[in-house]
Structures are given as structure tokens and as C-alpha cells.
Amino acid sequence: AVVSTQSTGWDEECKSSPAGEKYQGPLDTTGSQYRCQNWSSDYPHPHGYNDVGNHNYCRNPGGKEERPWCYTMALTFPIWDYCDIRDCVAGEDERYNYHVE
């Protein structure tokens, strides 16, 4: 079944908090234009976030960093990089602002 992000209320086009810990959108490129590594893969960079999902979208697992990020496909550096995701605007993006359990 396909679940609409609008019906679940997950952030998709913007982040509802500065850290963007609830961001669930499809951005897969960092602010420096590096393609993101799949979270379920340890190539090219081994890491401990394999349970984030089988995708390469920008995330901020646990809100530990200042904004969404991802491991990069760069073979050397940077190992990871921040993603540029705009902040939600009240009154315009409210359908993306909150996750409803």
C-alpha cells in the first residue's frame, strides 16, 4: 500500500524544527552536492545507522546533529555532510509540520 506523506503528516518538503529530526522527504544530495549513501549499506563508509532504512535520503536520526545529513558516496572525504532543507513556513506548510502517531 502506498501511504501519502500528507495523510501521515510527516515533513516532506521542509523541516518543522531546526534539527529536522522528523524530516522524511526524498532529498538524497548534500548541500555540497554529494550523493547520499544508502543508510542500510556500509559502502563506502561503515557506520552504525543501518536501521534508518533502505534508502539514501537525508535524515537526522535521533536529532543528534544540527540538521538533516547523510553519509556521502565520496570514497575519501567528506564521509558525511549536511543537507540543505528549508524550514517550514507557518500557514503554508502546516500539513508537513507534525507527525501524528
Side-chain angles (χ1 to χ4, degrees):
V2 175
V3 178
S4 167
T5 54
Q6 291 183 14
S7 66
T8 62
W10 282 108
D11 292 356
E12 181 179 5
E13 296 178 352
C14 59
K15 53 188 174 74
S16 59
S17 68
E21 63 273 8
K22 294 183 180 179
Y23 174 73
Q24 292 291 301
L27 183 64
D28 62 1
T29 306
T30 72
S32 301
Q33 301 304 304
Y34 288 97
R35 185 156 175 84
C36 294
Q37 172 180 320
N38 191 308
W39 290 97
S40 65
S41 172
D42 280 326
Y43 179 82
H45 308 292
H47 60 87
Y49 290 100
N50 302 94
D51 59 345
V52 170
N54 186 18
H55 59 75
N56 68 333
Y57 305 140
C58 299
R59 296 290 183 262
N60 189 3
K64 294 178 182 175
E65 296 296 334
E66 64 183 56
R67 61 186 195 266
W69 60 280
C70 67
Y71 289 98
T72 74
M73 289 301 293
L75 297 180
T76 54
F77 295 99
I79 293 173
W80 67 274
D81 193 15
Y82 286 114
C83 301
D84 290 339
I85 300 162
R86 69 179 178 84
D87 292 328
C88 296
V89 177
E92 294 178 23
D93 297 306
E94 67 272 4
R95 70 181 179 271
Y96 299 112
N97 284 356
Y98 303 101
H99 173 63
V100 179
E101 293 289 345

